[in-house]
Amino acid sequence: MDTAAEADTAALTEEQREIRRTLRELLDRRPRTTPTAPEGYDPDLWARMSGDLGLAGLALPEEYGGTGRGTHELALACEETGRALAPSPLLATSVLAAPLVAALGTPAQRAELLPRIADGGLTCALAAPGGSLAHALGLTGDNTTGAWSGDGRAGGVQARPAPGGDGWLLYGEAERVLDGHSAGLLLVAAHTGGFARSRTLLYLVRAEDAGPGLVRTRETGLDPTRAQATVQLRDVPAALLGEDPADPAAVLTALAAVGRTAAVLLAAEATGAARGALERTLGHAAGHAPGAPAARHRLADVHVQVETARALTYCAAREPGPGPESGPLALAQALEALRAAAGEAVPPHEADRYGRRAAADELLFGPAGRLRARAAQRTGLPGEAAA
């Protein structure tokens, strides 16, 4: 395992090594306990990650206060946060919401919001009705069908013009919203146009201006390091993200592209968690009597799974284009590697922590079989070939 880690480090640029080293040192110093802060994460740690290390704006353009780096650099950061199982707004804000603002926002919206996201001062959450974030992002199903968001019928979130034509009002509910209870800005997927002309667009809800119609309730999730919430909207004022597109599918296409990139970063995070579980298991074994040959062979198999997941993840991170096609396949492999590593983890409290992350990620973004099936559908490959 040391040899693989050394080879991996040698392949990184000096800047990438610095990002990884500094973040690892910062995360290793934090207490390995679930934060008791209302946000669900340590605000001081997030300030260090976003302000001192610039992680919140790592992939944002320099003109908006970011550093203009790519998916590969952000994947390195996600791998380290996964390794430490560190709760933070990085996933909800920088991986899911910020790219949508950058892709769809008007020049004025980008100029106002992206610098605040880049410096860590504004956290965001993507609220997709139906509780199926994976489907909304096109990871486990075709998001153009509209079924994931209510299909314009009862349910989902509905948008109607505010009286006087100044903005919009949203009515409905979204469940399992990552960081939805604490985010300063919500990106809400909502239907507009009535049933006959229904289309799903994204709307901006500013928590400070939402009024009493916005009710956010933190959920008791399977993994306490993945803060989730139910978001209820009762005629909450909102603004359309960007302009009303001539092609209604433009928003769904953007969601799917962000989803494929998010899959790479989620795979990096899951791979990091799997490596963390394996490192702790091997460290625990080093202080005890040698295990049975069967146990050592299982750990060797897990190591192969984890390194395979990592190789697939960084190959996908280097793919050009809007959303790498191999991202969901890398995520499927990484989720399986995490589940396998969690199954072998010792001592018991470590197995529980990593097992909860593995199960929660499968529920939120998987399962692996559906990720592979959807990837096969998109690429035209048989399911067996995609797997």
Side-chain angles (χ1 to χ4, degrees), residues 51 71 113 141 167 186 194 216 320 345 355 358 374:
T71 304
L113 298 175
L186 298 174
R216 305 188 287 177
R374 175 59 182 155

Side-chain angles (χ1 to χ4, degrees), residues 111-358:
E112 178 200 357
L113 298 175
L114 292 181
R116 296 175 60 200
I117 292 173
D119 67 17
L122 178 65
T123 58
C124 309
L126 174 61
S132 181
L133 185 59
H135 197 168
L137 295 171
L139 295 176
T140 57
D142 181 5
N143 70 356
T144 63
T145 64
W148 58 272
S149 56
D151 213 14
R153 298 176 171 84
V157 180
Q158 306 296 324
R160 62 181 178 85
D166 184 18
W168 297 80
L169 297 177
L170 303 186
Y171 193 97
E173 181 176 293
E175 300 175 337
R176 295 198 290 176
V177 180
L178 291 172
D179 291 338
H181 66 294
S182 62
L185 180 71
L186 298 174
L187 274 67
V188 183
H191 284 283
T192 187
F195 175 64
R197 298 181 56 253
S198 177
R199 59 198 187 280
T200 299
L201 301 176
L202 289 175
Y203 295 83
L204 301 173
V205 173
R206 302 170 192 268
E208 60 185 4
D209 301 327
L214 176 64
V215 178
R216 305 188 287 177
T217 307
R218 184 172 177 179
E219 300 172 358
T220 301
L222 183 62
D223 177 8
T225 68
R226 285 269 197 239
Q228 301 175 48
T230 295
V231 176
Q232 296 176 315
L233 305 112
R234 301 292 182 265
D235 287 337
V236 171
L240 181 66
L241 175 61
E243 306 289 347
D244 194 341
D247 179 6
V251 171
L252 304 179
T253 300
L255 278 168
V258 168
R260 294 194 300 276
T261 300
V264 176
L265 302 171
L266 285 162
E269 196 181 62
T271 300
R275 294 183 87 179
L278 193 56
E279 287 169 4
R280 292 184 174 275
T281 300
L282 293 174
H284 182 269
H288 295 74
R296 296 198 297 272
H297 291 160
R298 289 199 306 272
L299 288 176
D301 288 341
V302 171
H303 174 60
V304 171
Q305 282 185 268
V306 172
E307 291 306 315
T308 300
R310 193 171 193 282
L312 289 173
T313 297
Y314 285 98
C315 282
R318 294 184 180 93
E319 279 186 29
E325 293 292 346
S326 58
L329 296 179
L331 178 56
Q333 178 69 28
L335 290 175
E336 291 180 341
L338 175 55
R339 192 187 327 124
E344 299 294 335
V346 289
H349 70 276
E350 294 290 353
D352 182 65
R353 294 175 73 247
Y354 289 101
R356 285 174 176 270
R357 170 59 65 90

